[in-house]
Amino acid sequence: MSSAQAERAEAARLPEGDVVRILLEQHAEIRDLFAEVKNAQGEQRKQRFDELRALLAVHETAEEIVVRPTAKQTVGEGEADARNHEEEEANHVLAELEKMDVSDLDFAAKLDSFERSVIEHAEHEEQEEFPALRRGCGEDQLRGMGTRLQAVESMAPTHPHPSAAGSPAAQALTGPFAAMVDRVKDALSSR
């Protein structure tokens, strides 16, 4: 069974709307999109990368705003801060990748390295952060976090913004404006 299949199987065992279920499903989708980007060519590769970039941007923003404050209480401040730091670093690399030509060999090499760091980050969350959330929170709280996570994602930036990454406070302050700009940019570039 692939890692994406395992994440989907684990997610399916959790209640609908549970924050951990939502995040596991997104981790599986992220793995799938990395594979699709690597296997695609030309405009299709650019489209798959844009999907990956947008998913990572909203996913990381929502984790920082919704998950990390609770994770600080359940898994500890050091662990939560480490995940935020990893997301900050990922945001910088994602911004670099976004500026590159997807057909460039340097893009492929940087994408491979980036994929390894994103997967390692997801595995830390799945092995350390998520079990602590499930132990430290009741079902209603986990579903409430799931609802908030999806609400934040619907308003989160779809492009990397390294100056706000890693800081839930900066994400909350700059996110809505950045998201508005990003979504206009996305709409104009799809024409």
Side-chain angles (χ1 to χ4, degrees):
M1 182 183 309
S2 75
S3 296
Q5 289 171 321
E7 287 165 336
R8 285 187 177 94
E10 185 178 343
R13 290 190 290 271
L14 299 174
E16 194 72 40
D18 179 294
V19 69
V20 174
R21 177 180 179 149
I22 294 165
L23 294 172
L24 286 169
E25 290 168 344
Q26 289 177 354
H27 285 180
E29 185 178 355
I30 288 165
R31 286 180 192 270
D32 291 344
L33 282 168
F34 269 114
E36 290 175 25
V37 171
K38 291 195 303 192
N39 293 324
Q41 299 294 318
E43 186 57 33
Q44 186 181 28
R45 184 179 228 190
K46 173 82 170 100
Q47 290 172 349
R48 294 289 95 71
F49 175 73
D50 287 346
E51 289 175 37
L52 175 63
R53 181 239 330 124
L55 176 56
L56 285 170
V58 300
H59 175 85
E60 291 175 358
T61 298
E63 281 183 334
E64 290 177 19
I65 292 173
V66 176
V67 175
R68 292 293 136 55
T70 302
K72 283 185 179 196
Q73 298 166 356
T74 61
V75 74
E77 191 166 333
E79 187 67 33
D81 288 345
R83 299 297 75 81
N84 278 346
H85 180 69
E86 291 165 359
E87 289 175 354
E88 179 181 9
E89 289 176 358
N91 212 284
H92 287 276
V93 176
L94 192 57
E96 291 171 18
L97 282 164
E98 184 176 34
K99 293 174 187 169
M100 297 176 80
D101 182 338
V102 297
S103 62
D104 191 332
L105 290 177
D106 289 341
F107 176 86
K110 189 176 262 316
L111 183 71
D112 283 343
S113 174
F114 181 59
E115 178 183 22
R116 285 190 299 277
S117 67
V118 168
I119 298 307
E120 184 178 304
H121 169 80
E123 289 171 352
H124 277 289
E125 290 176 336
E126 292 170 12
Q127 295 166 7
E128 298 156 20
E129 194 170 48
F130 295 174
L133 284 172
R134 297 215 40 81
R135 283 190 307 273
C137 301
E139 278 192 38
D140 288 343
Q141 186 178 3
L142 291 168
R143 271 196 295 278
M145 288 174 68
T147 300
R148 287 192 312 280
L149 184 98
Q150 290 174 317
V152 168
E153 286 180 341
S154 72
M155 298 179 284
T158 59
H159 294 263
H161 294 276
S163 62
S167 168
Q171 292 278 20
L173 289 173
T174 63
F177 177 74
M180 181 179 62
V181 171
D182 287 354
R183 291 170 197 274
V184 168
K185 185 184 340 181
D186 293 343
L188 294 174
S189 69
S190 69
R191 291 181 179 219

